Amino acid sequence: MHSTDSFIDEVSEAVRRDRVARTLRRYGWVIAAIVVLLVGGAAVNEWMKLRQAREAAAAGDAMRAALAQTDPKARADALAAFAAATPDAAVAARLAEAGSLAKSGETAAAGALLATVADDGAVPALYRALAALERVMVLDAAMDASERAATLETLAQPGAPFRPLALEQRALMRLEQGDKDGAVADLQAILAEPTATEALQGRARQLIVAAGGSIPAVPQAGPPATDPATGPGTVDGVPADLPADG
């Protein structure tokens, strides 16, 4: 009986091996193709990552080389060439180009370039807002008064990314127009804005004083409450730092 069981096991094993061999002969090319695809896909993915890293490094070097130009006009030309050759970094390059144009005295060209960025729906909203704000700052009083006011009104809305700076620009515009009350209100709003930097708040305080306004007092913690019957530090006979039922 034992010999019979062993014989059956050997036959079964042989049948299984034969089936595996036939399956491999029939579908082996599929398995090989899957392995090749997996290995090849991993290799292509790594190659693409390496190429992207090299392209990013080359773009960074080109951007730094353009920004290293000491002459503002030459720097603007280099940034324009970089923006044309590197679409992925074109927005940052164009913003920097506009700044260089403004420094070289070409404020109209800078304003036109910034308007192009601000009106480009394909540009992320954050950069469009920055371009609009830079345009106001570059053109200043040379910008159409109604367009300037409308742009700053939009940029100074609560929650806008550059609200504190837009409030400062609107305050300056209102001071130019003789609207001191409106300017002081904008400057006081800067002091209440949690995202405003210390430097910006310092400028706001100086402008408030210059405009004859008042700087809001900063709330301070007062002394412990006093119960006149039991002396300082108590309220209704209970120490001020303990619950009333303690």
Side-chain angles (χ1 to χ4, degrees):
M1 193 69 179
H2 177 72
S3 300
T4 302
D5 291 341
S6 299
F7 176 74
I8 293 174
D9 291 340
E10 290 176 4
V11 171
S12 299
E13 183 64 27
V15 170
R16 282 195 295 268
R17 285 198 299 268
D18 182 64
R19 287 178 178 175
V20 170
R22 280 186 292 161
T23 301
L24 288 176
R25 284 195 299 270
R26 186 175 181 180
Y27 300 106
W29 67 272
V30 176
I31 298 173
I34 293 174
V35 172
V36 169
L37 286 175
L38 290 174
V39 174
V44 169
N45 184 50
E46 291 301 319
W47 175 78
M48 291 181 64
K49 287 182 179 179
L50 179 61
R51 187 183 69 173
Q52 290 173 354
R54 288 176 177 173
E55 289 177 351
D61 291 341
M63 183 79 164
R64 282 191 293 270
L67 292 171
Q69 297 284 343
T70 55
D71 178 66
K73 185 63 174 66
R75 184 165 61 250
D77 292 341
L79 288 167
F82 173 81
T86 317
D88 291 343
V91 175
R94 283 188 287 176
L95 291 173
E97 179 190 353
S100 297
L101 286 172
K103 286 185 178 180
S104 66
E106 299 185 36
T107 54
L113 180 58
L114 291 168
T116 301
V117 177
D119 296 336
D120 189 348
V123 173
L126 180 67
Y127 293 107
R128 293 175 63 190
L130 178 58
L133 179 61
E134 284 193 15
R135 183 166 179 254
V136 170
M137 297 171 69
V138 166
L139 296 179
D140 199 31
M143 188 175 180
D144 178 76
S146 59
E147 184 183 8
R148 184 184 181 191
T151 300
L152 288 173
E153 179 68 22
T154 300
L155 295 173
Q157 291 297 314
F162 303 105
R163 169 175 160 81
L165 292 171
L167 287 171
E168 181 185 37
Q169 291 299 312
R170 191 169 67 178
L172 293 173
M173 179 188 70
R174 287 176 169 174
L175 285 174
E176 293 172 3
Q177 298 170 346
D179 181 10
K180 290 186 177 181
D181 291 341
V184 169
D186 280 341
L187 295 168
Q188 290 176 339
I190 292 174
L191 299 181
E193 185 64 37
T195 60
T197 63
E198 291 185 6
L200 177 56
Q201 290 186 343
R203 294 198 302 270
R205 291 188 184 93
Q206 293 176 353
L207 287 172
I208 289 173
V209 173
S214 60
I215 299 174
V218 178
Q220 295 182 352
T226 301
D227 188 319
T230 56
T234 61
V235 177
D236 295 333
V238 179
D241 58 351
L242 291 179
D245 58 357

